[in-house]
Amino acid sequence: MPQSPTPAPPCPNCGDFPVVAVTTGRRLPDGARETNTVHCATHTTTTGEPRLYRITDAVTLLNLSRSNIYDLIRTGRLRTVTQGRARRIPATALNEYIHLLEHEAGQAT
């Protein structure tokens, strides 16, 4: 009788739930709670780029100092997620921050 293949062990970071919706305590203008989608750090996009970045990666990508990155996180201008004790910055949060800067630059002129 043929044996069935041994199933692959679950991802150690996400337990094979690579995408999770997280509801925050923040309220939207319509009264609903804000929901963020979080992706597992070990699962990558189809382009092979990571979906979650370390703080040191954000320093390089945004060309800012580590202190400036933490100030942006503290003030809420740069969104982060945590996986256990590890703080990560979603790629979408980096794109949102860049769009925010572009929007602010457009209003300043």
Side-chain angles (χ1 to χ4, degrees), residues 58-103:
V59 166
T60 304
L61 291 168
L62 296 175
N63 197 24
L64 296 172
S65 71
R66 185 172 172 268
S67 297
N68 284 344
I69 296 291
Y70 280 109
D71 285 341
L72 292 171
I73 294 168
R74 184 178 44 78
T75 58
R77 290 175 58 93
L78 185 60
R79 194 170 39 84
T80 64
V81 296
T82 55
Q83 172 77 33
R85 291 179 50 198
R87 181 174 298 275
R88 298 289 184 256
I89 302 172
T92 55
L94 292 171
N95 291 331
E96 289 167 6
Y97 177 67
I98 292 168
H99 288 297
L100 174 67
L101 292 177
E102 291 171 344
H103 180 72

Side-chain angles (χ1 to χ4, degrees), residues 20-34:
V20 177
V22 178
T23 303
T24 67
R26 199 179 308 169
R27 295 258 183 202
L28 299 174
D30 66 357
R33 294 207 184 267
E34 179 183 53

Side-chain angles (χ1 to χ4, degrees), residues 19-51:
V19 180
V20 177
V22 178
T23 303
T24 67
R26 199 179 308 169
R27 295 258 183 202
L28 299 174
D30 66 357
R33 294 207 184 267
E34 179 183 53
T35 302
N36 294 328
T37 303
V38 182
H39 299 274
C40 175
T42 59
H43 294 88
T44 58
T45 62
T46 56
T47 61
E49 293 185 19
R51 292 184 180 191

